[in-house]
């Protein structure tokens, strides 16, 4: 089975440009998570969806960040405009969901974003 | 609010020796605790979890963790370390009826031949 698929794997852009990161969760998983990893802050939960509905977006840094999940097999994280401090590795993860407390999140390989 | 703390940025151990990676937690109610591992340039992988029951939990790759309620700890252990165990290890906590995980800052494990 394919795991969580993220694209692009690497993105280098200039300050002020729009960045869109994409994620395809594992088929049948009901929960999807976006995390950001940096040396300074570690692993931060940005937002998570359950059954395509955003449940908790309290970790989204500011209005420049937005996330959507138009259907069960696709999600995007958009940064507009991007800033150098947004440079990080962004991970998407999915889980069976439903509040099962499995805790078994399946992570993608990450999208490494560099904003110059 | 739920949180976990990993007091050590790095743990060094010789191959064949036992290893311990420390984690303490702070939650209201019953804790749901997890360990994940991250290899270079990869996403995190689930190792093991404690939900309820036996305080000693066994997981992947020979790892185990001991839940200690009185010390609010959930330390990761392995009887005999391998060089291939070298990676970044994260402790995490979630609350009841949610899959939302809050991760610790991570501990880098270095196993020397």
């Amino acid at each position: 089975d394919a795991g969580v698929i993220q694209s692009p794997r690497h993105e280098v852009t200039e300050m002020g440009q729009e960045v869109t990161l994409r994620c395809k969760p594992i088929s049948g998983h009901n929960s999807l998570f976006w995390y950001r990893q940096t040396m300074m802050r570690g692993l931060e939960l940005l937002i998570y969806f359950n059954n395509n509905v955003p449940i908790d977006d309290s970790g989204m840094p500011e209005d420049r960040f937005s996330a959507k999940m138009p259907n069960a097999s696709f999600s995007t994280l958009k940064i507009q405009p991007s800033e150098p401090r947004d440079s990080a590795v962004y991970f998407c993860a999915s889980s069976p969901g439903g509040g099962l407390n499995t805790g078994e999140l399946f992570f993608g390989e990450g999208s490494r974003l560099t904003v110059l | 609010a739920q949180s976990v703390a990993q007091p050590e940025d790095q743990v060094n151990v010789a191959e064949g020796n036992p290893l311990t990676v420390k984690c303490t937690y702070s939650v209201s109610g019953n804790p749901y605790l997890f360990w994940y591992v991250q290899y270079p340039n990869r996403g995190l992988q689930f190792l093991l979890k404690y939900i309820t029951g036996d305080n000693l939990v066994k997981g992947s790759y020979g790892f185990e963790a001991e839940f200690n309620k009185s010390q609010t700890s959930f330390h990761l252990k392995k009887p005999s370390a391998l060089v291939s165990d070298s990676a970044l290890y994260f402790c995490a906590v979630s609350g009841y009826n949610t899959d939302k995980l809050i991760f610790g800052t991570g501990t880098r494990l270095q196993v020397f031949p």
Side-chain angles (χ1 to χ4, degrees), chain B residues 37 39 45-47 59-64 78 80 82 85 89:
Chain B
V37 61
Y39 297 100
Q45 297 176 35
F46 172 82
L47 272 182
S60 308
Y61 312 121
F63 283 93
E64 57 190 28
K78 188 173 182 181
S80 178
L82 299 172
D85 293 330
Y89 290 81

Side-chain angles (χ1 to χ4, degrees), chain A residues 5-49:
Chain A
I5 298 173
Q6 291 187 244
S7 64
R9 290 294 313 277
H10 301 273
E11 173 96 5
V12 180
T13 191
E14 292 188 347
M15 183 174 62
Q17 296 298 304
E18 178 179 293
V19 173
T20 299
L21 307 178
R22 298 172 177 80
C23 176
K24 177 178 169 55
I26 292 173
S27 177
H29 281 189
N30 295 323
S31 292
L32 183 139
F33 307 79
W34 282 101
Y35 283 88
R36 177 172 68 176
Q37 186 177 32
T38 61
M39 290 291 291
M40 293 295 292
R41 291 199 174 94
L43 203 58
E44 305 171 274
L45 176 64
L46 301 178
I47 184 171
Y48 86 97
F49 297 83

Side-chain angles (χ1 to χ4, degrees), chain A residues 72-92:
Chain A
S73 59
F74 184 65
S75 176
T76 59
L77 178 67
K78 187 173 292 187
I79 308 171
Q80 166 63 17
S82 59
E83 297 181 2
R85 60 193 168 118
D86 301 330
S87 298
V89 181
Y90 291 82
F91 286 103
C92 177

Side-chain angles (χ1 to χ4, degrees), chain B residues 14-55:
Chain B
E15 187 174 33
N17 283 2
L19 69 87
T20 299
V21 182
K22 296 179 180 177
C23 172
T24 58
Y25 66 89
S26 174
V27 299
S28 54
N30 293 325
Y32 300 91
L33 298 161
F34 308 87
W35 277 101
Y36 279 74
V37 61
Q38 184 180 29
Y39 297 100
N41 301 313
R42 305 294 299 275
L44 280 69
Q45 297 176 35
F46 172 82
L47 272 182
L48 52 78
K49 65 184 177 186
Y50 171 83
I51 303 295
T52 186
D54 196 349
N55 288 345

Side-chain angles (χ1 to χ4, degrees), chain B residues 4-19:
Chain B
V4 289
Q6 295 181 243
E8 302 155 315
D9 289 337
Q10 181 156 330
V11 170
N12 299 317
V13 64
E15 187 174 33
N17 283 2
L19 69 87

Side-chain angles (χ1 to χ4, degrees), chain A residues 33 35 37 43 45 48 56 91 95 97 99 101-105 107-109 112, chain B residues 34 36 38 41-44 46 49 51 90 94-101 103:
Chain A
F33 307 79
Y35 283 88
Q37 186 177 32
L43 203 58
L45 176 64
Y48 86 97
D56 185 344
F91 286 103
S95 78
N101 287 118
T102 65
E104 295 185 45
L105 271 60
F107 281 76
E109 300 283 89
R112 181 176 295 276
Chain B
F34 308 87
Y36 279 74
Q38 184 180 29
N41 301 313
R42 305 294 299 275
L44 280 69
F46 172 82
K49 65 184 177 186
I51 303 295
F90 289 94
S94 76
Y96 175 73
N97 203 32
T98 175
D99 284 324
K100 173 181 173 180
L101 286 185
F103 286 89

